[in-house]
Amino acid sequence: MKDHDLILSDLAREAGMNPGTMSSIINGNRTLSVDQLDRITKAMGHPVGYYYERYVSEYLAEANPNWRRMSPFLHNCARLNKLDCIHEVVNLLMDKLGYSESLFELAEELFHEKMYQAAAILYENVAVSEKKQYSERLAMCQYRLFQTRQGDNQEKNYEAAVQFEIYVERLDEIDQLEALKDLANTYRSLRKWDKVELFAKALGDKAKIQYKLEQDHDVKKENLKKPVSPSFAYWAFSHLLRAEVCEAHKDYEKALQHTYTYADLSWVKETDEITLEWKKRYKEWSEANTYVNKLHAGEVGVLADYVAFFSSRKEETLPGLDNVIEAANRHHLNVDNILKQFETEILALLDKPECVGVYNQHFIIERYVHFTCELAVYYFNKSNFADGFTFLLNCLEKSTLINNKSYIIKCMRLYESYQEYASTDTKTAYRNLINEVDKDET
Protein backbone atom coordinates (compact mmCIF):
# COMPACT_ATOMS: atom_id res chain seq x y z
CA MET A 1 0.00 0.00 0.00
CA LYS A 2 2.91 2.34 0.74
CA ASP A 3 4.74 1.47 -2.48
CA HIS A 4 1.69 2.14 -4.64
CA ASP A 5 0.14 4.92 -2.59
CA LEU A 6 -3.01 2.91 -1.87
CA ILE A 7 -5.45 3.25 1.00
CA LEU A 8 -7.07 0.15 2.42
CA SER A 9 -10.26 0.50 0.36
CA ASP A 10 -8.16 0.75 -2.83
CA LEU A 11 -6.39 -2.52 -2.11
CA ALA A 12 -9.67 -4.19 -1.14
CA ARG A 13 -11.22 -3.07 -4.45
CA GLU A 14 -8.20 -4.31 -6.45
CA ALA A 15 -8.46 -7.69 -4.69
CA GLY A 16 -12.25 -7.87 -5.01
CA MET A 17 -12.66 -8.09 -1.24
CA ASN A 18 -14.69 -6.38 1.48
CA PRO A 19 -12.72 -3.50 3.12
CA GLY A 20 -13.65 -4.78 6.58
CA THR A 21 -12.30 -8.23 5.77
CA MET A 22 -9.12 -6.71 4.35
CA SER A 23 -8.68 -4.62 7.50
CA SER A 24 -9.08 -7.67 9.76
CA ILE A 25 -6.48 -9.60 7.74
CA ILE A 26 -3.93 -6.78 7.72
CA ASN A 27 -4.34 -6.21 11.47
CA GLY A 28 -3.93 -9.92 12.20
CA ASN A 29 -7.47 -10.37 13.51
CA ARG A 30 -8.57 -12.78 10.80
CA THR A 31 -6.98 -15.91 9.34
CA LEU A 32 -6.11 -15.62 5.67
CA SER A 33 -7.79 -18.21 3.41
CA VAL A 34 -6.01 -19.41 0.28
CA ASP A 35 -8.66 -17.72 -1.90
CA GLN A 36 -8.02 -14.39 -0.16
CA LEU A 37 -4.26 -14.91 -0.50
CA ASP A 38 -4.68 -15.51 -4.24
CA ARG A 39 -6.76 -12.34 -4.63
CA ILE A 40 -4.25 -10.18 -2.73
CA THR A 41 -1.30 -11.75 -4.59
CA LYS A 42 -2.89 -10.88 -7.96
CA ALA A 43 -3.65 -7.35 -6.73
CA MET A 44 0.05 -7.01 -5.88
CA GLY A 45 0.98 -7.99 -9.43
CA HIS A 46 2.42 -11.42 -8.59
CA PRO A 47 1.39 -14.78 -10.09
CA VAL A 48 -0.96 -16.99 -8.06
CA GLY A 49 1.11 -19.23 -5.78
CA TYR A 50 3.88 -16.66 -5.33
CA TYR A 51 3.57 -16.78 -1.52
CA TYR A 52 2.52 -20.43 -1.08
CA GLU A 53 5.76 -21.55 0.57
CA ARG A 54 5.40 -18.82 3.19
CA TYR A 55 1.68 -19.59 3.59
CA VAL A 56 2.58 -23.13 4.67
CA SER A 57 5.07 -22.02 7.32
CA GLU A 58 3.13 -18.96 8.57
CA TYR A 59 -0.50 -20.13 8.43
CA LEU A 60 -0.76 -23.91 8.10
CA ALA A 61 1.98 -25.10 10.46
CA GLU A 62 -0.13 -24.79 13.59
CA ALA A 63 -0.90 -27.13 16.46
CA ASN A 64 -4.37 -28.07 15.19
CA PRO A 65 -4.37 -28.08 11.38
CA ASN A 66 -7.58 -26.84 9.78
CA TRP A 67 -8.61 -29.24 6.99
CA ARG A 68 -11.11 -26.72 5.54
CA ARG A 69 -8.17 -24.41 4.92
CA MET A 70 -5.71 -27.10 3.86
CA SER A 71 -7.91 -28.94 1.36
CA PRO A 72 -8.39 -26.02 -1.09
CA PHE A 73 -4.73 -25.10 -0.64
CA LEU A 74 -3.62 -28.62 -1.64
CA HIS A 75 -5.99 -28.53 -4.60
CA ASN A 76 -4.49 -25.23 -5.76
CA CYS A 77 -0.96 -26.57 -5.32
CA ALA A 78 -1.88 -29.55 -7.49
CA ARG A 79 -3.19 -27.29 -10.26
CA LEU A 80 -0.01 -25.19 -10.10
CA ASN A 81 2.20 -28.29 -9.83
CA LYS A 82 3.74 -26.97 -6.60
CA LEU A 83 4.61 -30.45 -5.39
CA ASP A 84 7.07 -29.30 -2.69
CA CYS A 85 4.27 -27.44 -0.95
CA ILE A 86 2.08 -30.55 -1.08
CA HIS A 87 4.89 -32.57 0.51
CA GLU A 88 5.22 -30.00 3.31
CA VAL A 89 1.50 -29.91 4.09
CA VAL A 90 1.15 -33.69 3.98
CA ASN A 91 4.09 -34.05 6.37
CA LEU A 92 2.32 -31.69 8.76
CA LEU A 93 -0.89 -33.69 8.56
CA MET A 94 0.61 -37.15 8.82
CA ASP A 95 1.98 -36.24 12.27
CA LYS A 96 -1.64 -35.87 13.38
CA LEU A 97 -4.20 -38.62 13.73
CA GLY A 98 -7.41 -38.74 11.72
CA TYR A 99 -6.38 -37.19 8.41
CA SER A 100 -5.82 -40.38 6.45
CA GLU A 101 -9.39 -40.61 5.15
CA SER A 102 -9.53 -36.93 4.14
CA LEU A 103 -6.21 -37.17 2.29
CA PHE A 104 -7.37 -40.30 0.51
CA GLU A 105 -10.61 -38.64 -0.64
CA LEU A 106 -8.67 -35.62 -1.92
CA ALA A 107 -6.20 -37.94 -3.68
CA GLU A 108 -9.14 -39.59 -5.46
CA GLU A 109 -10.39 -36.19 -6.59
CA LEU A 110 -6.97 -35.24 -7.96
CA PHE A 111 -6.57 -38.64 -9.64
CA HIS A 112 -9.89 -38.32 -11.47
CA GLU A 113 -8.90 -34.79 -12.49
CA LYS A 114 -5.69 -36.33 -13.96
CA MET A 115 -3.35 -34.50 -11.58
CA TYR A 116 -1.43 -37.74 -11.09
CA GLN A 117 1.83 -36.46 -9.56
CA ALA A 118 0.03 -34.57 -6.82
CA ALA A 119 -2.34 -37.48 -6.19
CA ALA A 120 0.61 -39.88 -5.93
CA ILE A 121 2.12 -37.87 -3.06
CA LEU A 122 -1.11 -38.22 -1.09
CA TYR A 123 -1.54 -41.93 -1.90
CA GLU A 124 2.05 -42.67 -0.85
CA ASN A 125 1.57 -41.01 2.53
CA VAL A 126 -1.82 -42.63 3.18
CA ALA A 127 -0.30 -46.01 2.27
CA VAL A 128 2.52 -45.47 4.78
CA SER A 129 0.04 -44.55 7.53
CA GLU A 130 -2.00 -47.72 6.88
CA LYS A 131 0.79 -50.16 6.00
CA LYS A 132 0.17 -52.29 9.10
CA GLN A 133 -3.53 -52.66 8.32
CA TYR A 134 -5.11 -55.15 5.94
CA SER A 135 -7.34 -52.40 4.58
CA GLU A 136 -9.16 -51.85 1.31
CA ARG A 137 -8.00 -48.21 1.38
CA LEU A 138 -4.37 -49.33 1.49
CA ALA A 139 -5.01 -51.63 -1.49
CA MET A 140 -6.67 -48.81 -3.43
CA CYS A 141 -3.70 -46.51 -2.70
CA GLN A 142 -1.37 -49.15 -4.09
CA TYR A 143 -3.59 -49.59 -7.15
CA ARG A 144 -3.60 -45.86 -7.84
CA LEU A 145 0.17 -45.70 -7.40
CA PHE A 146 0.52 -48.56 -9.87
CA GLN A 147 -1.64 -46.62 -12.34
CA THR A 148 0.23 -43.34 -11.89
CA ARG A 149 3.61 -45.06 -12.30
CA GLN A 150 2.78 -46.52 -15.72
CA GLY A 151 4.84 -44.66 -18.31
CA ASP A 152 7.32 -45.13 -21.13
CA ASN A 153 9.99 -46.76 -18.98
CA GLN A 154 9.16 -50.47 -19.15
CA GLU A 155 11.52 -51.44 -16.32
CA LYS A 156 9.65 -49.08 -14.00
CA ASN A 157 6.32 -50.37 -15.29
CA TYR A 158 7.43 -53.85 -14.32
CA GLU A 159 8.57 -52.75 -10.86
CA ALA A 160 5.23 -51.00 -10.27
CA ALA A 161 3.29 -54.10 -11.33
CA VAL A 162 5.30 -56.39 -9.04
CA GLN A 163 4.79 -53.99 -6.13
CA PHE A 164 1.03 -53.81 -6.67
CA GLU A 165 0.13 -57.42 -7.46
CA ILE A 166 0.23 -58.54 -3.81
CA TYR A 167 -2.53 -56.02 -3.01
CA VAL A 168 -4.98 -56.78 -5.82
CA GLU A 169 -6.94 -59.38 -3.80
CA ARG A 170 -7.56 -56.80 -1.05
CA LEU A 171 -9.52 -54.51 -3.35
CA ASP A 172 -13.29 -54.42 -3.53
CA GLU A 173 -14.44 -57.32 -5.75
CA ILE A 174 -15.74 -54.91 -8.41
CA ASP A 175 -12.48 -52.92 -8.48
CA GLN A 176 -10.53 -56.17 -8.78
CA LEU A 177 -11.83 -56.69 -12.31
CA GLU A 178 -10.32 -53.49 -13.68
CA ALA A 179 -7.17 -53.91 -11.59
CA LEU A 180 -6.57 -57.47 -12.83
CA LYS A 181 -7.12 -56.29 -16.40
CA ASP A 182 -4.58 -53.48 -15.91
CA LEU A 183 -2.03 -55.83 -14.34
CA ALA A 184 -2.41 -58.38 -17.12
CA ASN A 185 -2.09 -55.64 -19.74
CA THR A 186 1.14 -54.37 -18.20
CA TYR A 187 2.67 -57.84 -18.16
CA ARG A 188 1.34 -58.36 -21.69
CA SER A 189 3.24 -55.28 -22.91
CA LEU A 190 6.35 -56.74 -21.26
CA ARG A 191 5.73 -60.23 -22.74
CA LYS A 192 5.81 -61.76 -19.27
CA TRP A 193 3.51 -64.56 -20.38
CA ASP A 194 3.41 -66.58 -17.15
CA LYS A 195 2.19 -63.49 -15.30
CA VAL A 196 -0.35 -62.74 -18.04
CA GLU A 197 -1.72 -66.29 -17.73
CA LEU A 198 -1.94 -66.01 -13.94
CA PHE A 199 -3.88 -62.74 -13.85
CA ALA A 200 -5.96 -63.50 -16.96
CA LYS A 201 -7.27 -66.68 -15.34
CA ALA A 202 -8.05 -64.85 -12.10
CA LEU A 203 -9.86 -62.16 -14.11
CA GLY A 204 -11.97 -64.73 -15.95
CA ASP A 205 -12.96 -66.56 -12.77
CA LYS A 206 -13.98 -63.39 -10.94
CA ALA A 207 -15.81 -61.93 -13.95
CA LYS A 208 -17.82 -65.15 -14.34
CA ILE A 209 -18.90 -64.98 -10.68
CA GLN A 210 -19.74 -61.28 -10.98
CA TYR A 211 -21.89 -61.85 -14.08
CA LYS A 212 -23.86 -64.57 -12.28
CA LEU A 213 -24.39 -62.27 -9.28
CA GLU A 214 -25.70 -59.56 -11.59
CA GLN A 215 -28.18 -62.01 -13.09
CA ASP A 216 -29.39 -62.93 -9.60
CA HIS A 217 -29.77 -59.28 -8.52
CA ASP A 218 -31.18 -56.18 -10.14
CA VAL A 219 -28.09 -53.96 -10.03
CA LYS A 220 -30.04 -50.77 -10.86
CA LYS A 221 -32.77 -51.32 -8.28
CA GLU A 222 -30.41 -52.35 -5.52
CA ASN A 223 -28.01 -49.49 -6.41
CA LEU A 224 -25.05 -51.87 -6.43
CA LYS A 225 -21.59 -50.80 -7.51
CA LYS A 226 -20.89 -51.61 -11.16
CA PRO A 227 -17.55 -52.37 -12.86
CA VAL A 228 -16.08 -49.97 -15.42
CA SER A 229 -16.92 -52.39 -18.26
CA PRO A 230 -19.63 -55.09 -18.37
CA SER A 231 -18.54 -58.17 -16.41
CA PHE A 232 -18.89 -60.44 -19.45
CA ALA A 233 -16.36 -58.20 -21.29
CA TYR A 234 -13.74 -58.94 -18.61
CA TRP A 235 -14.49 -62.67 -18.94
CA ALA A 236 -14.04 -62.47 -22.72
CA PHE A 237 -10.85 -60.43 -22.32
CA SER A 238 -9.38 -63.09 -20.05
CA HIS A 239 -9.76 -65.65 -22.84
CA LEU A 240 -8.31 -63.22 -25.38
CA LEU A 241 -5.25 -62.83 -23.15
CA ARG A 242 -4.93 -66.58 -22.62
CA ALA A 243 -5.11 -67.07 -26.39
CA GLU A 244 -2.16 -64.67 -26.73
CA VAL A 245 -0.23 -66.64 -24.11
CA CYS A 246 -0.83 -69.87 -26.06
CA GLU A 247 0.19 -68.12 -29.28
CA ALA A 248 3.43 -66.93 -27.64
CA HIS A 249 4.12 -70.55 -26.63
CA LYS A 250 3.34 -71.67 -30.22
CA ASP A 251 0.34 -73.70 -29.03
CA TYR A 252 -1.91 -72.46 -31.85
CA GLU A 253 -4.60 -75.11 -31.42
CA LYS A 254 -5.22 -74.12 -27.80
CA ALA A 255 -5.02 -70.43 -28.78
CA LEU A 256 -7.83 -71.02 -31.28
CA GLN A 257 -9.91 -72.76 -28.60
CA HIS A 258 -9.72 -69.66 -26.40
CA THR A 259 -10.47 -67.47 -29.43
CA TYR A 260 -13.60 -69.48 -30.32
CA THR A 261 -14.64 -69.29 -26.65
CA TYR A 262 -14.72 -65.49 -26.46
CA ALA A 263 -16.15 -65.24 -29.98
CA ASP A 264 -19.38 -66.90 -28.81
CA LEU A 265 -21.16 -64.40 -26.57
CA SER A 266 -24.66 -65.58 -27.50
CA TRP A 267 -25.28 -66.38 -23.81
CA VAL A 268 -25.12 -62.66 -22.96
CA LYS A 269 -28.79 -61.69 -23.08
CA GLU A 270 -28.56 -57.91 -22.50
CA THR A 271 -29.36 -55.79 -25.56
CA ASP A 272 -28.28 -52.31 -24.44
CA GLU A 273 -25.96 -50.24 -26.64
CA ILE A 274 -22.83 -50.85 -24.54
CA THR A 275 -23.35 -54.62 -24.53
CA LEU A 276 -23.91 -54.73 -28.29
CA GLU A 277 -20.75 -52.66 -28.87
CA TRP A 278 -18.64 -55.03 -26.75
CA LYS A 279 -20.08 -58.09 -28.50
CA LYS A 280 -19.29 -56.57 -31.88
CA ARG A 281 -15.75 -55.73 -30.73
CA TYR A 282 -15.02 -59.26 -29.56
CA LYS A 283 -16.45 -60.74 -32.72
CA GLU A 284 -14.00 -58.64 -34.77
CA TRP A 285 -11.08 -59.50 -32.49
CA SER A 286 -11.86 -63.19 -32.73
CA GLU A 287 -11.94 -62.95 -36.53
CA ALA A 288 -8.55 -61.21 -36.56
CA ASN A 289 -6.97 -63.61 -34.07
CA THR A 290 -8.28 -66.65 -35.92
CA TYR A 291 -6.39 -65.44 -38.98
CA VAL A 292 -3.30 -64.73 -36.86
CA ASN A 293 -3.15 -68.16 -35.24
CA LYS A 294 -3.71 -69.97 -38.51
CA LEU A 295 -1.05 -67.83 -40.18
CA HIS A 296 1.51 -68.47 -37.44
CA ALA A 297 0.68 -72.18 -37.59
CA GLY A 298 1.71 -72.16 -41.24
CA GLU A 299 -1.67 -71.84 -43.02
CA VAL A 300 -0.37 -69.15 -45.39
CA GLY A 301 -3.55 -69.39 -47.45
CA VAL A 302 -5.28 -67.05 -44.96
CA LEU A 303 -2.73 -64.27 -45.56
CA ALA A 304 -4.72 -62.43 -48.26
CA ASP A 305 -7.93 -62.54 -46.20
CA TYR A 306 -6.10 -61.31 -43.10
CA VAL A 307 -4.55 -58.38 -44.99
CA ALA A 308 -7.97 -57.48 -46.38
CA PHE A 309 -9.35 -57.60 -42.84
CA PHE A 310 -6.87 -55.21 -41.19
CA SER A 311 -6.42 -52.90 -44.18
CA SER A 312 -9.90 -51.47 -43.58
CA ARG A 313 -9.35 -50.99 -39.82
CA LYS A 314 -6.83 -48.32 -38.89
CA GLU A 315 -6.37 -49.53 -35.30
CA GLU A 316 -5.44 -53.00 -36.58
CA THR A 317 -2.77 -51.85 -39.06
CA LEU A 318 0.25 -52.07 -36.74
CA PRO A 319 -0.74 -55.37 -35.06
CA GLY A 320 -1.60 -56.74 -38.51
CA LEU A 321 1.70 -55.79 -40.11
CA ASP A 322 3.59 -57.07 -37.07
CA ASN A 323 1.88 -60.46 -37.36
CA VAL A 324 2.51 -60.63 -41.11
CA ILE A 325 6.25 -59.93 -40.77
CA GLU A 326 6.65 -62.37 -37.89
CA ALA A 327 4.94 -65.08 -39.95
CA ALA A 328 7.05 -64.15 -42.99
CA ASN A 329 10.26 -64.63 -41.00
CA ARG A 330 9.03 -67.89 -39.48
CA HIS A 331 7.79 -69.47 -42.72
CA HIS A 332 10.19 -67.75 -45.19
CA LEU A 333 7.46 -65.84 -47.03
CA ASN A 334 7.94 -62.98 -49.47
CA VAL A 335 5.65 -60.15 -48.37
CA ASP A 336 7.26 -57.30 -50.32
CA ASN A 337 3.95 -56.54 -52.03
CA ILE A 338 2.23 -56.13 -48.65
CA LEU A 339 4.98 -53.83 -47.37
CA LYS A 340 4.63 -51.79 -50.55
CA GLN A 341 0.86 -51.58 -50.05
CA PHE A 342 1.34 -50.17 -46.53
CA GLU A 343 4.42 -48.07 -47.25
CA THR A 344 2.72 -44.80 -46.21
CA GLU A 345 1.48 -46.29 -42.94
CA ILE A 346 4.91 -47.74 -42.12
CA LEU A 347 6.60 -44.38 -42.71
CA ALA A 348 4.02 -42.72 -40.46
CA LEU A 349 4.79 -45.28 -37.74
CA LEU A 350 8.50 -44.55 -38.07
CA ASP A 351 7.75 -40.88 -37.48
CA LYS A 352 5.53 -41.42 -34.44
CA PRO A 353 3.62 -44.53 -33.38
CA GLU A 354 0.35 -43.42 -31.78
CA CYS A 355 -2.43 -45.27 -29.99
CA VAL A 356 -5.56 -45.76 -32.06
CA GLY A 357 -8.97 -47.06 -31.01
CA VAL A 358 -9.01 -49.36 -27.98
CA TYR A 359 -5.25 -50.01 -27.87
CA ASN A 360 -3.32 -48.09 -25.21
CA GLN A 361 0.08 -46.49 -25.72
CA HIS A 362 1.95 -49.30 -23.95
CA PHE A 363 0.49 -51.88 -26.31
CA ILE A 364 1.26 -49.79 -29.38
CA ILE A 365 4.86 -49.04 -28.36
CA GLU A 366 5.57 -52.70 -27.59
CA ARG A 367 4.09 -53.84 -30.90
CA TYR A 368 6.00 -51.12 -32.73
CA VAL A 369 9.33 -52.20 -31.23
CA HIS A 370 8.59 -55.85 -32.02
CA PHE A 371 7.53 -54.91 -35.56
CA THR A 372 10.69 -52.90 -36.33
CA CYS A 373 12.86 -55.71 -34.94
CA GLU A 374 11.07 -58.33 -37.09
CA LEU A 375 11.22 -56.03 -40.11
CA ALA A 376 15.00 -55.61 -39.68
CA VAL A 377 15.34 -59.41 -39.61
CA TYR A 378 13.16 -59.70 -42.73
CA TYR A 379 15.31 -57.27 -44.72
CA PHE A 380 18.58 -58.80 -43.51
CA ASN A 381 17.34 -62.21 -44.64
CA LYS A 382 16.78 -60.70 -48.10
CA SER A 383 20.25 -59.08 -48.06
CA ASN A 384 18.59 -55.65 -48.11
CA PHE A 385 21.05 -54.27 -45.58
CA ALA A 386 20.18 -50.57 -45.97
CA ASP A 387 16.53 -51.07 -44.95
CA GLY A 388 17.56 -53.68 -42.39
CA PHE A 389 19.81 -51.22 -40.57
CA THR A 390 17.18 -48.45 -40.83
CA PHE A 391 14.66 -50.51 -38.88
CA LEU A 392 17.25 -52.00 -36.53
CA LEU A 393 18.45 -48.53 -35.48
CA ASN A 394 14.85 -47.38 -35.13
CA CYS A 395 14.10 -50.37 -32.90
CA LEU A 396 17.23 -49.75 -30.81
CA GLU A 397 16.40 -46.06 -30.38
CA LYS A 398 12.83 -46.73 -29.23
CA SER A 399 13.95 -49.63 -27.00
CA THR A 400 16.44 -47.29 -25.32
CA LEU A 401 13.78 -44.64 -24.76
CA ILE A 402 11.42 -47.11 -23.08
CA ASN A 403 14.27 -48.95 -21.30
CA ASN A 404 13.38 -52.35 -22.73
CA LYS A 405 16.56 -54.31 -22.12
CA SER A 406 15.50 -57.50 -23.90
CA TYR A 407 15.00 -55.64 -27.19
CA ILE A 408 18.21 -53.65 -26.70
CA ILE A 409 20.10 -56.95 -26.41
CA LYS A 410 18.32 -58.36 -29.48
CA CYS A 411 19.27 -55.27 -31.50
CA MET A 412 22.90 -55.47 -30.38
CA ARG A 413 23.15 -59.15 -31.33
CA LEU A 414 21.49 -58.50 -34.67
CA TYR A 415 23.86 -55.64 -35.41
CA GLU A 416 26.88 -57.79 -34.53
CA SER A 417 25.69 -60.44 -37.02
CA TYR A 418 25.53 -57.95 -39.91
CA GLN A 419 27.94 -55.15 -38.92
CA GLU A 420 30.29 -55.94 -41.82
CA TYR A 421 27.57 -54.63 -44.14
CA ALA A 422 26.99 -51.40 -42.21
CA SER A 423 27.87 -48.07 -43.78
CA THR A 424 30.03 -45.49 -41.99
CA ASP A 425 26.95 -43.42 -41.14
CA THR A 426 25.18 -46.51 -39.77
CA LYS A 427 28.17 -47.39 -37.59
CA THR A 428 28.27 -43.83 -36.21
CA ALA A 429 24.52 -43.83 -35.50
CA TYR A 430 24.81 -47.22 -33.77
CA ARG A 431 27.72 -46.08 -31.58
CA ASN A 432 25.77 -42.98 -30.54
CA LEU A 433 22.77 -45.09 -29.53
CA ILE A 434 24.96 -47.53 -27.59
CA ASN A 435 26.52 -44.57 -25.76
CA GLU A 436 23.00 -43.54 -24.73
CA VAL A 437 22.36 -47.08 -23.45
CA ASP A 438 25.62 -47.00 -21.44
CA LYS A 439 24.71 -43.57 -20.06
CA ASP A 440 21.32 -44.84 -18.88
CA GLU A 441 22.95 -47.85 -17.25
CA THR A 442 25.32 -45.67 -15.24
Side-chain angles (χ1 to χ4, degrees), residues 375-424:
L375 201 50
V377 172
Y378 177 79
Y379 282 124
F380 284 140
N381 288 340
K382 292 173 67 68
S383 298
N384 182 345
F385 301 114
D387 286 340
F389 283 118
T390 295
F391 287 101
L392 184 147
L393 292 175
N394 199 277
C395 180
L396 179 57
E397 181 180 19
K398 182 59 72 175
S399 300
T400 304
L401 287 173
I402 64 174
N403 196 20
N404 188 310
K405 293 178 181 176
S406 64
Y407 278 111
I408 291 171
I409 293 169
K410 283 180 184 178
C411 289
M412 292 171 71
R413 287 175 177 168
L414 196 55
Y415 179 84
E416 288 170 5
S417 298
Y418 293 96
Q419 61 182 323
E420 63 183 292
Y421 303 105
S423 67
T424 303

Side-chain angles (χ1 to χ4, degrees), residues 257-276:
Q257 289 175 12
H258 282 295
T259 301
Y260 296 148
T261 298
Y262 72 76
D264 180 14
L265 295 173
S266 58
W267 50 272
V268 179
K269 303 304 181 186
E270 290 83 357
T271 57
D272 58 279
E273 189 176 334
I274 293 174
T275 296
L276 294 176

Side-chain angles (χ1 to χ4, degrees), residues 238-249:
S238 77
H239 282 282
L240 185 151
L241 289 171
R242 292 168 77 184
E244 283 194 13
V245 173
C246 294
E247 180 193 326
H249 293 149

Side-chain angles (χ1 to χ4, degrees), residues 295-341:
L295 183 60
H296 286 321
E299 296 182 39
V300 296
V302 303
L303 181 57
D305 289 337
Y306 181 44
V307 172
F309 171 84
F310 71 73
S311 64
S312 61
R313 296 167 172 82
K314 188 177 180 182
E315 70 273 14
E316 296 295 337
T317 302
L318 175 57
L321 289 170
D322 185 30
N323 287 317
V324 166
I325 292 299
E326 186 176 351
N329 288 337
R330 182 173 300 158
H331 301 295
H332 310 291
L333 307 177
N334 187 323
V335 293
D336 287 355
N337 59 326
I338 297 173
L339 294 176
K340 184 67 178 174
Q341 179 184 341

Side-chain angles (χ1 to χ4, degrees), residues 178-329:
E178 190 71 8
L180 286 166
K181 183 208 76 174
D182 290 344
L183 261 179
N185 261 333
T186 293
Y187 286 125
R188 177 194 193 189
S189 71
L190 298 165
R191 297 189 173 241
K192 304 285 186 183
W193 299 117
D194 289 346
K195 292 279 193 179
V196 175
E197 173 71 22
L198 176 68
F199 292 111
K201 188 177 185 308
L203 176 62
D205 292 343
K206 291 178 185 293
K208 187 177 181 180
I209 293 169
Q210 183 58 35
Y211 184 78
K212 188 178 184 307
L213 288 172
E214 289 170 359
Q215 302 311 300
D216 295 340
H217 300 275
D218 190 328
V219 175
K220 289 183 179 178
K221 283 186 180 178
E222 296 183 31
N223 198 28
L224 298 175
K225 185 175 180 179
K226 294 190 296 183
V228 175
S229 302
S231 52
F232 79 85
Y234 292 107
W235 176 88
F237 190 62
S238 77
H239 282 282
L240 185 151
L241 289 171
R242 292 168 77 184
E244 283 194 13
V245 173
C246 294
E247 180 193 326
H249 293 149
K250 298 182 173 58
D251 188 347
Y252 303 116
E253 185 177 341
K254 195 171 181 181
L256 282 170
Q257 289 175 12
H258 282 295
T259 301
Y260 296 148
T261 298
Y262 72 76
D264 180 14
L265 295 173
S266 58
W267 50 272
V268 179
K269 303 304 181 186
E270 290 83 357
T271 57
D272 58 279
E273 189 176 334
I274 293 174
T275 296
L276 294 176
E277 176 58 32
W278 274 110
K279 290 174 81 170
K280 177 185 174 186
R281 195 175 287 175
Y282 277 108
K283 184 178 179 181
E284 287 192 354
W285 286 340
S286 67
E287 184 180 352
N289 289 325
T290 299
Y291 286 133
V292 170
N293 280 290
K294 289 182 176 181
L295 183 60
H296 286 321
E299 296 182 39
V300 296
V302 303
L303 181 57
D305 289 337
Y306 181 44
V307 172
F309 171 84
F310 71 73
S311 64
S312 61
R313 296 167 172 82
K314 188 177 180 182
E315 70 273 14
E316 296 295 337
T317 302
L318 175 57
L321 289 170
D322 185 30
N323 287 317
V324 166
I325 292 299
E326 186 176 351
N329 288 337

